[in-house]
Amino acid sequence: MEQGERVLHASSFGAAAAPKSGATARFGSPEQAEFRHAQRRTADSLVATIATRAGVLVMSERERGATLDRIRAFLASRPETSRGEFTLPMLSGVLRVRRL
């Protein structure tokens, strides 16, 4: 699949969106899609981004430092990420429901 290509999925949310018996539907069936893209990164820029995530921010300073050090060491050990810039594949998922 190429970067920017859209992948549509049949919704698995149909039953959850249906109104209880006798009620009028206010929203249509949910639609779901995924979009592939990529970002150019370095090990340092990826570690800096990870450091901003909620799960990392709530760690103690000591645990956060140890976790980021482990990630840095892992990235340094991989040929794909140890030599400057690399392409980080991304996948964005979207769920949309239209009001009737």
Side-chain angles (χ1 to χ4, degrees), residues 53-91:
R53 300 299 194 244
V56 177
L57 289 171
V58 298
M59 293 176 176
S60 70
E61 190 172 331
R62 185 173 168 180
E63 183 182 8
R64 183 171 46 253
T67 298
L68 295 175
D69 286 346
R70 280 195 312 277
I71 294 168
R72 224 177 258 108
F74 173 78
L75 293 171
S77 74
R78 305 292 306 169
E80 305 93 331
T81 55
S82 63
R83 294 184 225 120
E85 283 194 349
F86 57 91
T87 300
L88 179 66
M90 307 289 287
L91 180 65

Side-chain angles (χ1 to χ4, degrees), residues 13-29:
F13 302 99
K20 297 189 190 297
S21 60
T24 303
R26 297 179 138 196
F27 298 95
S29 296

